[in-house]
Amino acid sequence: MVVEVFKTNVQKEADTNYIIAVIQTQFPDYKINFDLEDCDKILRVEGIDLEPKNIIDYVNCLGYTCIKLE
């Protein structure tokens, strides 16, 4: 199992639900959650064979910033 953490510019809970739904249509086995309380508006994704670039591309296509944290 791989866990990746991303910094985003997502502000609203409704937006997080939308982003999670879109990602899960493509990757139904991933566990996805946001921490909007964190200053980096964290997106956390857990899954097998997780490709960070795919997550970044999906979030960017939805109009949000998404940067992998090291």
Side-chain angles (χ1 to χ4, degrees):
M1 199 61 78
V2 177
V3 178
E4 295 289 352
V5 180
F6 305 89
K7 175 180 178 177
T8 73
N9 66 342
V10 178
Q11 299 294 321
K12 298 181 201 153
E13 196 71 37
D15 294 339
T16 67
N17 295 335
Y18 174 63
I19 293 166
I20 290 169
V22 169
I23 294 171
Q24 285 193 317
T25 57
Q26 188 64 34
F27 306 103
D29 296 330
Y30 287 5
K31 289 185 188 172
I32 306 166
N33 62 60
F34 276 89
D35 180 0
L36 296 184
E37 300 296 316
D38 188 278
C39 65
D40 287 333
K41 309 300 183 196
I42 294 295
L43 164 61
R44 188 176 296 106
V45 183
E46 181 180 331
I48 297 170
D49 296 330
L50 180 61
E51 288 292 334
K53 184 180 180 328
N54 292 340
I55 302 300
I56 292 167
D57 288 347
Y58 270 90
V59 176
N60 288 346
C61 284
L62 295 173
Y64 301 95
T65 302
C66 184
I67 301 165
K68 183 176 181 276
L69 293 178
E70 298 300 326

